[in-house]
Each structure stands twice: as C-alpha cells, then as structure tokens.
Amino acid sequence: MKKNKQTEIQVKLPFNKVVKRHWMLLLMLLPAVIYVLVFSYMPMTGIIMAFKRYQRAGGIYFSPWNGLNNFKALMIQGKLGMVTRNTLLYNIAFIFLGVVFEMGSAILLNEIVSKLFKKVAQSFMFLPYFISWVVAGAIMYNIFNYEKGIFNTVMAAIGASPVDLYNTPHLWPFVLIFLKLWKQTGYGSVVYLAAITGLDQEMFEAASIDGATEWQKIRYLTIPSLVPTMMIMVLLAIGNIFRGDFGLFYQTVKSSALLQPATDVIDTYVFRLLIDSSDYGVSAAAGLYQSVLCFITITVCNGIVKKIQPDYSLY
C-alpha cells in the first residue's frame, strides 16, 4: 500500500496583505513598538555627542564635531583604568557570590517543610529589595558614623576601639559586597525557586526509593537541573559587567575623595565628570566606552558558551 504524502506549500504573502489580514493584532502591538522606538532606539542617536564639542546653542545634533578629542581628554585624566578595574572586579564578585547565595537560598527555602515559616522567611529575604539605596546609605551612616554611630557607641561602651569606616578605604570592598548581596539575594532567589518548583518530582521520588539522602538529591539532582537557569542568569549579568550599581556606589559612599580609589566605578566617575566640569562630550565618551566594553564582553562570553554548550547560550 502506498501512502499519500501531503506536502504543505507555504506561500509568503505580500506585506500589505499581511497587514490587511492581521491589522487588529498589529494595532495591539503598536504601543509597545512606539515605546521601544522612543525610549530605546531614538536615544541611541545621542552617541554622536561623544564625538562633538557640545554647545548649548547647537544642541546634540548641531554642535561642531570634535573627533576623538573627548576620548583623549578622558585618557589624560588618568582615572579610567582605575574605575574600569574597580567596576570589573566588583561585578565579578557580585555575579559569583550572587549565584552562590541566590541558588543556595532557593534550595534551602525549598527544603523547608513548614509553609508558614517558608513564606515568612521568603518575605524577610525579599524585603531589602524594596529599600532604596538612599535609605540604606542613611541607615549605614547612622550605624557606622565615627562620632555618634550606634556601632562605635557600643564599641566605646565595652572598652573597644571605634572603627572609622568612612576613612578606611580597604574595608569598603567587603562592605559594598555585603550590601549588594543583602539587597539582591531575596529577589534573585525567586528565579531559582521557580525553576526548582518546575522540576520533575518523579526523579526525586525515584531517588528516595533508591535510598538517596536529601543532600545527595540536592547535589546530584537539584543543582545540575538548575545549571541552565544559572547560565542564563550569569550571561545576562555579564552583559552589564562594566556597569556599576550607581545607587550602591554613590548613596552609600557619598562623595568622599578618600574612598574613591577603592569604591569609584565608571558610573560614578561619569556622573562626577558631568557635575564637576559640565563637559557633556567627555561624559558621553565615557558612557560609550562603557557600552562598548559591555557589548564585547557579552559577545565573547556568549560565543564561548555557544561552542561548549549551545543550549545554554543567549543567541
């Protein structure tokens, strides 16, 4: 018996017929398209300001061209290497420790039997995410102020030496890493917790029947199953590896010149350039430098991941 094979012929419709047939769906899509064009694509034309000598009368588009002089001025100031190094090292620590703490918190929350305790614990972990860096910086200052801070008041009461945190640069990397983890762990653990709840429970039941302990199930089942989610989260974070959390580095450190070698990142550096000198061209050059570094980094890392494990790559 011969089986009749039906082949589907896909005919590509002209654009005007597609619009006529699906005009209602396209109309629903129009607000999102306009939003992306206005707030994501149109601002990209401002990149040309990095190559211009900005004048208020001419604006962004009619100011005279300046070539690469803005980038030369950026290099001459001598701080670009320092802030680039700080931004990179801080973000590497944030990404690595963030994965450990977020995934670990999600696994621990999943192992909690009491639903009430689990909800309360997750709520307390999630709460810091809603506290602004302005408030966090004010709380820190009131705790660690050298003269009237709570911490130093307690230290003086027990006869210990006070800690002058705001004049001790080498302590700030640990402080900033702790604050970042305190704020992002609860929010980041939600993604991993959702991934855990979506895992096939039959493999855990089979492991229990085979005599596997809870730690063995976490080590050999849960963690390997979370690797795809972890890789996507890491790649997304690497895309912003040269972008610092402005609120963290500015609101907690303020404008202390003594702490800048240990806490200054590209974002705060660009902000001070704009405020102190009002040189929009040099600030735009620094922003373009930052964006190019981010683009190169995510492209290289995604390419490496694509060669090793294509399923984990972003594109």
Side-chain angles (χ1 to χ4, degrees):
M1 296 177 64
K2 295 182 179 180
K3 296 182 178 180
N4 295 325
K5 295 181 180 179
Q6 297 179 351
T7 57
E8 296 181 358
I9 301 174
Q10 296 181 354
V11 179
K12 191 173 181 180
L13 296 175
F15 179 73
N16 59 340
K17 290 188 177 181
V18 173
V19 173
K20 187 176 180 180
R21 179 178 294 183
H22 303 291
W23 67 271
M24 189 173 291
L25 296 175
L26 293 173
L27 188 63
M28 293 171 63
L29 185 63
L30 187 60
V33 173
I34 294 174
Y35 178 87
V36 172
L37 287 175
V38 172
F39 293 101
S40 297
Y41 284 93
M42 287 180 62
M44 290 177 67
T45 60
I47 290 174
I48 63 173
M49 194 163 63
F51 306 96
K52 289 196 170 190
R53 187 173 69 255
Y54 181 79
Q55 296 176 350
R56 294 182 184 274
I60 296 176
Y61 303 105
F62 300 102
S63 295
W65 291 96
N66 202 21
L68 297 176
N69 290 336
N70 291 329
F71 293 92
K72 291 178 182 178
L74 195 62
M75 299 293 181
I76 290 171
Q77 294 183 11
K79 292 185 178 181
L80 191 61
M82 178 194 71
V83 296
T84 303
R85 180 202 64 204
N86 287 348
T87 307
L88 179 63
L89 293 178
Y90 274 119
N91 279 311
I92 289 174
F94 293 160
I95 292 170
F96 177 74
L97 294 176
V99 168
V100 173
F101 278 82
E102 291 166 14
M103 187 184 294
S105 301
I107 292 172
L108 290 176
L109 285 171
N110 186 64
E111 294 298 319
I112 296 175
V113 178
S114 173
K115 292 184 178 180
L116 178 61
F117 183 78
K118 181 187 292 187
K119 290 181 179 179
V120 172
Q122 191 173 4
S123 299
F124 275 101
M125 287 177 59
F126 205 88
L127 182 62
Y129 179 76
F130 297 102
I131 299 176
S132 71
W133 284 121
V134 178
V135 176
I139 294 172
M140 269 202 61
Y141 186 78
N142 282 282
I143 293 175
F144 293 104
N145 180 269
Y146 184 73
E147 296 178 354
K148 300 179 181 179
I150 298 172
F151 179 80
N152 285 324
T153 302
V154 173
M155 295 293 284
I158 62 177
S161 301
V163 178
D164 192 2
L165 181 65
Y166 287 89
N167 287 311
T168 313
H170 70 272
L171 293 178
W172 276 89
F174 303 100
V175 173
L176 292 172
I177 291 172
F178 169 78
L179 287 173
K180 183 68 173 179
L181 294 175
W182 167 74
K183 203 169 191 301
Q184 79 171 23
T185 298
Y187 180 78
S189 63
V190 173
V191 178
Y192 292 102
L193 191 60
I196 291 173
T197 55
L199 297 178
D200 186 5
Q201 297 301 312
E202 291 183 0
M203 62 180 181
F204 293 98
E205 294 173 2
S208 299
I209 293 172
D210 291 338
T213 62
E214 292 299 323
W215 166 245
Q216 288 174 331
K217 286 189 283 186
I218 291 172
R219 180 180 178 184
Y220 296 107
L221 295 178
T222 305
I223 294 177
S225 299
L226 291 177
V227 169
T229 303
M230 180 194 71
M231 291 301 300
I232 292 173
M233 298 295 291
V234 168
L235 284 174
L236 290 173
I238 286 175
N240 291 315
I241 199 167
F242 285 101
R243 296 189 185 279
D245 189 334
F246 179 80
L248 168 64
F249 289 97
Y250 185 76
Q251 296 297 341
T252 56
V253 180
K254 304 299 181 186
S255 56
S256 174
L258 180 64
L259 300 179
Q260 284 179 12
T263 62
D264 210 11
V265 292
I266 298 176
D267 297 78
T268 53
Y269 178 56
V270 173
F271 178 77
R272 280 199 312 278
L273 278 176
L274 188 61
I275 296 300
D276 297 340
S277 64
S278 297
D279 195 335
Y280 298 99
V282 176
S283 301
L288 180 58
Y289 164 78
Q290 183 182 34
S291 299
V292 169
L293 285 180
C294 290
F295 174 75
I296 293 172
T297 306
I298 185 60
T299 302
V300 171
C301 292
N302 187 72
I304 294 171
V305 171
K306 196 170 185 177
K307 284 187 175 294
I308 299 173
Q309 183 57 265
D311 293 337
Y312 297 162
S313 63
L314 289 178
Y315 53 88

